[in-house]
Amino acid sequence: MDLYAEEIISHYEHPHNKGKLDAENATFHEHNPLCGDEITIHLHIDNGRVDRISFEGNGCAISMGTASMLTDFIKGKTLEEVEKMGVSTVIDLLGIDPGPGRLKCATLSLKTLKEAIFVYEHKSVDSGTRNL
Ligand code: FES
């Protein structure tokens, strides 16, 4: 197994930031329509930044491993920075391109996170996010 795949599996087996969040002020639940796997992102946003973040869910190694890595990466980011993130953010984070068959697995947590932030800001979800 290559190093990147090992890291994803390690996050899947020992996820970071998994569970509920006290005093959350943004959340969103999403699923992958191709398989039914699901995730909920919990956020505490403070002063335009992601102060704390966690996730709950059930899914494949790529979706849950990515959620663990992404939630580590997102802490402290501004809402503006998160709104600009897309597929390339996830591929850079993973260090591999999961390929078209597994791309939805890899982007599920980012899509959910961005949807939570759009709702928090009372904005409608943009098409780039909807298509993640
Ligand atoms: Fe369901 Fe990956 S197979 S999210």
Side-chain angles (χ1 to χ4, degrees):
M1 210 183 336
D2 72 32
L3 273 179
Y4 295 120
E6 273 178 34
E7 171 132 23
I8 295 166
I9 297 294
S10 163
H11 274 266
Y12 173 63
E13 289 176 344
H14 308 285
H16 303 181
N17 315 305
K18 188 140 190 218
K20 295 186 190 306
L21 203 61
D22 289 339
E24 71 183 19
N25 55 12
T27 187
F28 205 85
H29 177 83
E30 184 59 272
H31 71 287
N32 180 344
L34 303 175
C35 63
D37 290 349
E38 54 184 0
I39 185 167
T40 304
I41 295 277
H42 303 284
L43 293 159
H44 182 259
I45 296 166
D46 185 32
N47 210 11
R49 283 182 189 273
V50 176
D51 175 42
R52 288 182 292 133
I53 180 168
S54 71
F55 75 99
E56 297 177 279
N58 295 300
C60 65
I62 293 181
S63 68
M64 295 294 111
T66 307
S68 173
M69 294 167 84
L70 183 74
T71 48
D72 274 348
F73 176 69
I74 288 299
K75 281 180 205 161
K77 296 278 187 290
T78 66
L79 302 190
E80 225 177 8
E81 286 173 311
V82 177
E83 279 179 23
K84 287 183 192 146
M85 292 178 185
V87 174
S88 61
T89 310
V90 173
I91 290 175
D92 287 351
L93 195 62
L94 294 179
I96 50 166
D97 184 338
R102 305 306 297 276
L103 195 58
K104 294 280 182 200
C105 306
T107 56
L108 182 63
S109 52
L110 179 62
K111 179 180 187 184
T112 313
L113 163 64
K114 293 185 72 176
E115 287 169 328
I117 288 176
F118 279 117
V119 171
Y120 172 83
E121 295 193 299
H122 304 290
K123 292 182 183 168
S124 46
V125 177
D126 65 18
S127 59
T129 300
R130 220 175 298 122
N131 294 330
L132 275 173

